[in-house]
Amino acid sequence: MNIPEVKLGIIAVSRDCFPIALSTQRRKNIVAAYGEGIYECPITVENEKDALAALADVQANGVNALVVFLGNFGPETPETLLCQKFDGPTMYIAAAEGDGDMINGRGDAYCGVLNCSYNLGMRHLKAYIPEYPVGTAEECAQMIKEFVPIARAIVGVKNLKIITFGPRPQDFFACNAPIKGLYELGVEVEENSELDLLVSYKAHAGDPRIPEVIADMQSEMDGKIYPDLLERMAQFELTLLDWAEAHKGARKYVAFADKCWPAFPEQFGFEPCYVNSRLASRGIPVACEVDIYGALSEYIGSCITGDAVTLLDINNSVPQYIYDEDIKGKFDYTIKDTFMGFHCGNTPSCKMCGDCAVKYQLIQNRLLENGGTPDITRGTLEGDIAASDITFYRLQCDSEGNLRSYIAEGEVLPVATRSFGGIGIFAINEMGRFYRHVLIQKRYPHHGAVAFAHCGKALFEVLKYFGVADIAYNQPKSMPYPTENPWG
């Protein structure tokens, strides 16, 4: 409900010294190979007036992500203007030879992409160009399908507002970063006080929608929830949803970064984690501890996968006894490839094992209730995270104001953690080296976003499109990191 719907359109371009029918027919072949879900602009662009007419046509048909197809060499200025004047992500692909004779049926689009790229650079324009952008109709159709999640993330970020409540908690400097990078990406930020949230929460007391939300919570958790907390949590969920709707302003999509301790449970009477997890399952990330870049990272993952995401601490090592009992010899990982990802309880229930339940925050119970019978520290969603492919990643602004990022694909293992919170045992190849020479060396904070799929390829392209120069990943042993000691 909080991510864009991509409406694709394709425009073919043709250099006027090549047969226009070559581009037109090759465009039709791509559309046939792609199937439903792409709008075919009937105008094949040879000149600037054609470009303007084609743009007007796709815009009139609701297109928000554009494919420019070089069916032959292509006209350099008109094809570049399509990107310059289209308000959305633009992809460039080109036709491979082989569907006609090599005299009148040769298009030279392989050559044309070079000049197209040069012209895009001359105008300082951003466009998505696949790793190998030249292909048959079927290959081009597959490239376009891979463009969809990339385009969805680009459209989403450009229309995103991140709403925050409260400053970062004391001694959580890692969650505080310059917001300059957000504005460079086109993201809007609205910063509020915890008091603003409390006032709005109190105004929702007795909201007539509360019973419906309570019923949905009971259904989701199948009774594994504190009955006396339901009204308070439902009231809070409605508070956040109403705030998002009332404050998105000129933007279409929202994410939250909220301060959740220590004052929150004392004033609201519960922990917000379970409610946060429910919003995340709807594509509205709520990052813990006012982690603005964590919220942005989560949102990008939601757009790419079209699925729920979470934000976790890169938290603790896996004990040797658990590794020996449940991992060694069963999975192809060393103990240094593994770690536990944890947070108090913000991971959506759809990504948890079936025995998850709403419980209490043990650490906060020690701090705020002296380890006694939990009351205000209840409200976390606890249990082991279900086994799944994952991508662990983060987009961050460093202390100098530069955007940087990391991406690592791996999995959650089907191994019991024997611990508390929303937690799972994660395995990523060469995690030990990645931990030292990327996460520590480049001073990343302890929060990482988790997408429940292998989506590193699309994430990399999105971050590259946004101009992130430093995109780190878990390099194999054959590729030492610059800071890695060659003697081990």
Side-chain angles (χ1 to χ4, degrees), residues 18 34 65 91 144 232 290 298 304 341 370:
F18 285 80
Y34 188 90
M91 171 190 192
I144 296 171
R232 278 176 271 175
V290 204
E298 285 187 275
I304 287 174
N370 297 315

Side-chain angles (χ1 to χ4, degrees), residues 190-310:
E190 175 190 295
E191 297 180 278
N192 304 280
S193 162
E194 288 175 281
L195 286 174
D196 296 320
L197 183 59
L198 183 60
V199 168
S200 182
Y201 172 72
K202 289 181 176 180
H204 280 76
D207 190 299
R209 298 169 293 173
I210 287 175
E212 182 181 354
V213 177
I214 288 175
D216 190 56
M217 289 178 170
Q218 290 173 319
S219 174
E220 178 186 356
M221 297 312 302
D222 193 26
K224 293 178 286 187
I225 193 169
Y226 298 106
D228 63 306
L229 283 189
L230 283 167
E231 183 168 354
R232 278 176 271 175
M233 291 191 295
Q235 182 178 331
F236 182 61
E237 180 173 309
L238 291 169
T239 300
L240 288 179
L241 291 173
D242 285 353
W243 192 287
E245 191 61 36
H247 288 253
K248 65 175 60 173
R251 298 308 176 103
K252 297 179 181 178
Y253 314 109
V254 295
F256 288 98
D258 297 352
K259 187 173 181 180
C260 44
W261 63 272
F264 186 97
E266 292 186 296
Q267 295 302 314
F268 288 77
F270 62 96
E271 297 282 2
C273 310
Y274 172 58
V275 173
N276 294 350
S277 79
R278 283 171 55 83
L279 266 65
S281 70
R282 307 180 206 183
I284 309 174
V286 186
C288 314
E289 295 150 342
V290 204
D291 182 2
I292 300 177
Y293 283 93
L296 175 60
S297 300
E298 285 187 275
Y299 184 72
I300 292 172
S302 285
C303 288
I304 287 174
T305 63
D307 196 7
V309 296
T310 193

